[in-house]
Amino acid sequence: MTEQMWSKAETRYPGHVARIQRGRAILEAHLADPRAGIIRAHIGPDGVSFTIRSASNPRGAYTVDAQGCTCPDWPRSQRCKHYIAVSVLRALIGA
């Protein structure tokens, strides 16, 4: 993962540096152990969505798709660490 990608995220989401850092932590944890299931991709008739395990609730998970995220932070900010992690992951894989 390059610093350039994270710099692009900071440019794309100005004012969300803390969320970007938390999103980076999510993505780096996933890439360190993909089998842990931190991020899971789902392909369905409505397109691709991603499920991200909640860090604060071991039984919780949030869904991220093109419209946003199901986490409680999304309605307030329209950006959250889950959405940012998935945005960078999609850029990495070219999706």
Side-chain angles (χ1 to χ4, degrees):
M1 180 112 41
T2 67
E3 289 299 321
Q4 182 181 11
M5 294 197 87
W6 292 108
S7 294
K8 281 184 181 181
E10 289 177 6
T11 301
R12 186 171 182 190
Y13 307 117
H16 296 281
V17 174
R19 285 185 179 96
I20 291 168
Q21 290 170 347
R22 291 192 299 269
R24 182 177 185 163
I26 290 169
L27 187 53
E28 287 177 347
H30 169 73
L31 293 174
D33 186 6
R35 293 185 295 175
I38 295 169
I39 301 175
R40 294 181 185 257
H42 308 279
I43 301 172
D46 296 327
V48 178
S49 65
F50 297 83
T51 302
I52 300 183
R53 281 194 333 218
S54 170
S56 60
N57 176 1
R59 294 187 175 158
Y62 304 111
T63 300
V64 176
D65 62 17
Q67 278 68 50
C69 182
T70 59
C71 78
D73 194 33
W74 181 261
R76 290 188 301 270
S77 68
Q78 298 297 296
R79 295 288 175 261
C80 66
K81 61 187 178 184
H82 314 104
Y83 189 85
I84 291 168
V86 166
S87 295
V88 174
L89 176 60
R90 290 179 74 119
L92 279 172
I93 62 175

